[in-house]
Amino acid sequence: MQGQNQQQAYDRGITIFSPDGRLYQVEYAREAVKRGTASIGIRTEDGVVLAVDKRIRSPLMERDSVEKIHKADDHIGIASAGHVADARQLIDFARRRAQVNELRYGEPIAVETLTKEVTDYIQQYTQVGGARPFGVALIIAGIADGEPKLYETDPSGTPYEWKALAVGADRGDIRDYLEEHYEEGMDLDTGVELALSALASVNDDSLSPEGLGLATISVDDQQFHEHDLSEREAYLDGFGLLASEQEEAEEADDSDETDEE
């Protein structure tokens, strides 16, 4: 009983380390990320790809109101998994930092610089009493000096650079799929196919364009482009991943029991 009471004491404050050096509130924030629907990032030679699962709670909800992919700057996009409200706060912060950099230095902010500014902001909330960590992980993708870049932010405030990654639900299964199928030297369309196939691998090998978010940033124009419904449907149809009407109905039934985060 005494050991249980001690663990509860470490749970109460973000500023208190447990005897084995753990911050329980940060670990709980990571669990909140795992409850969110999956987001995937792929880096290719020609650009970067962001793909997200936009499962919703009710068929009465407007799917376009569920935002998991965001434009941070002309050359940078962000995908999230976890608490949507926390993601919005961090994305607003990222957009402000990008604007400040443009006004101060007259040039677009580097992807790595923006990522580290966001993670520095996140890390502050692991040291301040009376606050809680952000229950969200971000995938920050963009082009810097003609080179595609892909980063992840962790609730602890640690940045990681990746060739391909997934955050949110089924992260382990999707990562295994990416490790098996990722290849160096892929072009952008192949990266899109890999991202959608990885997402489909944990969704009965099919996807509906309405329940999907997709964005790309090409090295050629260095412009964030979020693909509309017709473009998403064309990709799914071309890759043989388009769900049938029966599968879409079953997905809608399943989403009634799923909280979108």
Side-chain angles (χ1 to χ4, degrees), residues 35-39 53-55 68 80-81 167-169 258 260-261:
R35 293 177 60 85
T37 53
S39 296
D53 184 349
K54 294 176 61 175
R55 213 175 310 165
K68 284 173 61 71
S80 67
V167 294
T258 303
E260 167 61 40
E261 294 183 310

Side-chain angles (χ1 to χ4, degrees), residues 65-224:
S65 68
V66 179
E67 295 182 296
K68 284 173 61 71
I69 293 181
H70 306 261
K71 178 180 177 180
D73 202 349
D74 288 340
H75 65 301
I76 298 176
I78 299 177
S80 67
H83 286 290
V84 173
D86 287 10
R88 288 178 55 208
Q89 289 295 314
L90 292 179
I91 289 160
D92 283 347
F93 174 82
R95 286 169 172 165
R96 290 196 300 271
R97 298 311 304 169
Q99 292 170 1
V100 167
N101 190 90
E102 181 73 37
L103 291 171
R104 182 174 294 168
Y105 301 111
E107 62 182 17
I109 193 168
V111 185
E112 182 178 6
T113 300
L114 180 63
T115 301
K116 289 185 175 179
E117 292 204 15
V118 171
T119 51
D120 286 347
Y121 183 68
I122 292 172
Q123 195 273 338
Q124 293 176 20
Y125 283 80
T126 68
Q127 288 188 301
V128 178
R132 65 163 176 80
F134 289 93
V136 66
L138 303 179
I139 300 175
I140 302 179
I143 309 297
D145 297 325
E147 293 291 330
K149 296 291 183 179
L150 186 67
Y151 293 92
E152 174 194 7
T153 73
D154 182 76
S156 67
T158 307
Y160 302 97
E161 186 173 5
W162 294 83
K163 298 176 182 178
L165 80 151
V167 294
D170 302 309
R171 171 176 178 165
D173 293 336
I174 296 174
R175 181 186 292 180
D176 290 342
Y177 186 94
L178 294 175
E179 289 176 353
E180 181 179 353
H181 294 89
Y182 181 87
E183 296 179 359
E184 300 284 352
M186 292 189 302
D187 60 23
L188 195 58
D189 283 342
T190 307
V192 171
E193 182 178 6
L194 176 59
L196 297 182
S197 298
L199 201 56
S201 70
V202 294
N203 286 279
D204 299 322
D205 293 321
S206 62
L207 298 167
S208 68
E210 295 84 3
L212 171 71
L214 179 66
T216 56
I217 308 171
S218 169
V219 169
D220 292 336
D221 60 14
Q222 300 189 21
Q223 294 292 308
F224 174 87

Side-chain angles (χ1 to χ4, degrees), residues 20-50:
D20 56 351
R22 297 161 63 186
L23 289 173
Y24 285 113
Q25 292 297 322
V26 171
E27 295 185 15
Y28 298 154
R30 293 194 182 108
E31 291 300 316
V33 173
K34 293 178 183 178
R35 293 177 60 85
T37 53
S39 296
I40 296 175
I42 305 287
R43 189 182 77 191
T44 74
E45 282 194 349
D46 299 335
V48 285
V49 180
L50 295 172

